[in-house]
């Protein structure tokens, strides 16, 4: 088997759903006995932390799409949730029934807007944070 480059791996991850990616991270952590959370950098200086937080708030690049209500066309909303998340029918129905719930988490702005449009088109009420 040929060794994959970093770009090839990123392309593969890009095609995965959030659930598939989450399962992969868990399997990777178990296989190599590591924790992915340890990779986050820590800011030590007090003044720099305040400036960094303000800058991060201005340039948000990850958004959550939250389903706040299913509306009148619940079946259509469930279909859209399944398309967006690759969840099974029962899981998608449970997500819609349990609104408000996040449908997508930490996605790019354009992906969040497309998902919100799709859900609104199906009759759902949606919030993008």
């Amino acid at each position: 088997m040929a060794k994959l480059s970093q770009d090839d791996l990123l392309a593969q991850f890009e095609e995965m759903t959030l659930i598939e990616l989450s399962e992969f991270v868990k399997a990777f952590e178990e296989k190599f006995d590591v924790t992915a959370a340890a990779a986050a950098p820590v800011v030590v200086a007090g003044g720099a932390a305040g400036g960094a937080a303000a800058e991060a708030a201005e340039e948000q690049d990850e958004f959550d799409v939250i389903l706040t209500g299913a509306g009148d066309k619940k079946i259509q909303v469930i279909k859209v949730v399944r398309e967006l998340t690759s969840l099974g029918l029962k899981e998608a129905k449970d997500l819609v029934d349990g609104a408000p719930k996040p449908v997508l988490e930490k996605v790019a702005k354009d992906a969040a807007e497309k998902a919100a449009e799709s859900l609104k088109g199906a009759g759902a009420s949606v919030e993008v944070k």
Side-chain angles (χ1 to χ4, degrees):
M1 185 167 122
K3 184 176 178 181
L4 297 174
S5 71
Q6 185 175 5
D7 290 336
D8 293 337
L9 286 171
L10 289 173
Q12 290 297 316
F13 292 139
E14 193 173 58
E15 294 176 11
M16 297 174 82
T17 65
L18 291 177
I19 293 172
E20 291 170 335
L21 193 54
S22 174
E23 291 171 354
F24 170 78
V25 169
K26 287 178 189 173
F28 186 91
E29 289 174 343
E30 289 174 10
K31 170 99 174 158
F32 296 105
D33 194 28
V34 295
T35 304
V42 178
V43 177
V44 178
E55 185 178 317
E58 290 174 16
E59 297 180 26
Q60 181 179 1
D61 61 348
E62 293 182 336
F63 296 85
D64 295 342
V65 179
I66 300 170
L67 177 70
T68 56
D72 295 335
K73 300 177 183 177
K74 186 174 160 184
I75 293 172
Q76 296 299 328
V77 174
I78 292 171
K79 287 181 181 180
V80 172
V81 167
R82 289 189 67 202
E83 290 172 9
L84 293 172
T85 62
S86 298
L87 290 174
L89 180 60
K90 181 180 181 343
E91 292 84 4
K93 181 183 180 302
D94 291 345
L95 188 146
V96 171
D97 287 341
K101 291 247 182 177
V103 177
L104 297 174
E105 294 178 312
K106 297 183 181 179
V107 295
K109 184 177 183 177
D110 59 337
E113 289 173 351
K114 284 182 183 178
E117 276 183 37
S118 297
L119 287 164
K120 287 178 183 175
S125 52
V126 181
E127 188 176 303
V128 177
K129 290 186 177 181

